Amino acid sequence: MEPKRIREGYLVKRGSMFNSWKAMWVVLLEDGIEFYKKKSDNSPKGMIPLKGSTLTSPCQDFGKRMFVFKITTTKQQDHFFQAAFLEERDGWVRDIKKATKCIEGGQKFARKSTRRSIRLPETIDLGALYLSMKDTEKGVKELNLEKDKKIFNHCFTGNCVIDWLVSNKSVRNRQEGLVIASSLLNEGYLQPAGDLSKNAVDGTAENPFLDNPDAFYYFPDSGFFCEENSSDDDVILKEEFRGVIIKQGCLLKQGEDPLGAIRLRGCVVTSVESNPDGKKSEEENLFEIITADEVHYFLQAATPKERIEWIKAIQVASRTGK
């Protein structure tokens, strides 16, 4: 039987021979990680076994590169991957840790609260329920919540979700609401924000979803962002998705020729720190675009907020653009 695919997507990987950073299509399996030059390739360029491996996140070996994590195999081979933003990296790290833990314990990787495991009634339409929850007038209210000197924007608490399910008569009681909320979380309709809710998803709590006023969650396309310091010492000013597919404005581009176009379909975009020591310089707010043809472009935005907006818009265009 073929190993189950747990997660896949584009990441930037550091080469083992020439130390160059290239965009790779990365697939997390139950027993290892495969990486491909392109998504359409049938044969991987390499495979990283997870058994006995260790994971380091955040990895700060490369001061100018943000959101890097490192996998060290039993043969002491280091593999470095870079995500585009904090939540993407945390998702990869969370699943890799769980897959490694399952290997060590001789278990199969399985997300909690799937329709089969909790016997979710077939009459429950999670997609329709999600749309109702997002209704601006009658749905779950998105708030700006503060915890541990961090401000979580466009999110809501776990007990608010259960309150809404009960008051909306989607469930009969809070225990049933916990089952439905866990299913929404498992299917990706809800995302964890903050250490408490993330730890529950990792399996350190009895249920993956918490009926708790201190557990924060958000809709994946709502515009969630976190201000101040992240839970693992990465400094994030703002991470926001505004749903912008086409964006225009002035950027500084590295290179002599100011004219031309960058093909975005299949590209990977990442933040670049110009000065890892935190000192101000004339090259702040940089980001890098690596095209499907492995051409690297370095661009500079005017502010950290604008850089995040460009990165988010380019990510959308990489999936839908030309």
Side-chain angles (χ1 to χ4, degrees):
M1 180 182 290
E2 289 291 325
K4 174 184 175 183
R5 289 192 173 205
I6 299 168
R7 176 185 286 267
E8 55 188 315
Y10 276 108
L11 293 172
V12 179
K13 184 182 183 299
R14 184 174 184 261
S16 56
M17 292 184 63
F18 300 105
N19 298 331
S20 59
W21 294 81
K22 295 184 178 181
M24 293 284 179
W25 181 258
V26 182
V27 178
L28 172 61
L29 304 171
E30 291 177 302
D31 58 350
I33 295 176
E34 294 180 343
F35 48 94
Y36 301 74
K37 186 175 181 180
K38 294 181 180 179
K39 181 180 179 181
S40 57
D41 289 352
N42 295 322
S43 300
K45 287 181 65 65
M47 198 272 189
I48 304 169
L50 289 180
K51 186 175 182 179
S53 67
T54 58
L55 189 147
T56 304
S57 178
C59 174
Q60 299 173 336
D61 294 11
F62 309 94
K64 291 187 177 183
R65 290 193 173 270
M66 303 171 68
F67 317 123
V68 174
F69 61 90
K70 176 175 70 173
I71 300 172
T72 304
T73 66
T74 53
K75 296 182 178 180
Q76 298 303 307
Q77 295 176 324
D78 292 333
H79 298 271
F80 300 91
F81 294 91
Q82 182 184 18
F85 54 94
L86 179 67
E87 293 298 322
E88 181 181 58
R89 188 201 62 195
D90 283 353
W92 278 96
V93 168
R94 190 162 53 241
D95 283 348
I96 292 171
K97 283 183 177 179
K98 186 172 182 180
T100 304
K101 184 178 179 181
C102 288
I103 293 172
E104 300 298 334
Q107 302 171 331
K108 282 284 187 180
F109 186 102
R111 300 187 189 279
K112 290 187 177 181
S113 302
T114 61
R115 180 178 294 268
R116 179 181 301 173
S117 63
I118 64 173
R119 298 179 183 177
L120 190 65
E122 294 298 329
T123 54
I124 296 293
D125 186 338
L126 294 180
L129 187 60
Y130 166 73
L131 293 177
S132 297
M133 294 176 70
K134 288 199 64 182
D135 187 278
T136 54
E137 295 183 0
K138 299 180 180 180
V140 177
K141 301 302 180 185
E142 297 179 73
L143 304 170
N144 296 338
L145 304 173
E146 185 173 357
K147 184 176 176 62
D148 299 330
K149 298 182 180 181
K150 289 172 274 188
I151 300 175
F152 298 86
N153 297 263
H154 300 288
C155 67
F156 38 83
T157 63
N159 67 317
C160 284
V161 172
I162 305 300
D163 288 344
W164 184 89
L165 290 170
V166 173
S167 63
N168 200 48
K169 297 183 179 180
S170 299
V171 296
R172 291 170 293 183
N173 50 57
R174 300 191 75 83
Q175 185 60 37
E176 192 172 284
L178 196 60
V179 171
I180 299 300
S182 297
S183 300
L184 289 164
L185 183 67
N186 176 68
E187 298 298 328
Y189 293 111
L190 301 178
Q191 294 292 327
D195 294 339
L196 184 62
S197 56
K198 288 180 179 179
N199 288 339
V201 173
D202 287 339
T204 55
E206 184 179 353
N207 293 304
F209 188 91
L210 300 178
D211 182 3
N212 189 316
D214 292 324
F216 297 166
Y217 301 90
Y218 65 94
F219 298 123
D221 56 351
S222 65
F224 166 81
F225 65 95
C226 179
E227 295 179 272
E228 297 297 333
N229 293 332
S230 74
S231 60
D232 56 11
D233 300 327
D234 281 324
V235 178
I236 309 300
L237 297 177
K238 281 194 177 182
E239 296 229 11
E240 182 170 6
F241 177 58
R242 301 180 181 275
V244 178
I245 296 179
I246 299 176
K247 181 176 174 61
Q248 57 184 352
C250 292
L251 293 171
L252 293 179
K253 174 183 172 296
Q254 184 186 63
E256 298 179 358
D257 185 2
L259 301 178
I262 303 174
R263 297 183 65 88
L264 296 180
R265 178 177 282 282
C267 77
V268 174
V269 56
T270 58
S271 300
V272 177
E273 284 302 297
S274 57
N275 194 329
D277 298 327
K279 298 180 181 179
K280 287 186 174 290
S281 72
E282 295 181 355
E283 296 184 350
E284 293 184 334
N285 310 315
L286 295 174
F287 61 94
E288 177 184 13
I289 298 174
I290 306 177
T291 68
D293 298 328
E294 297 184 7
V295 179
H296 294 241
Y297 295 91
F298 291 90
L299 299 145
Q300 183 180 14
T303 64
K305 178 175 180 288
E306 187 175 287
R307 174 172 69 175
I308 291 298
E309 290 175 350
W310 275 102
I311 288 175
K312 293 292 187 178
I314 292 169
Q315 284 186 318
V316 174
S318 73
R319 296 191 295 268
T320 62
K322 298 180 178 180

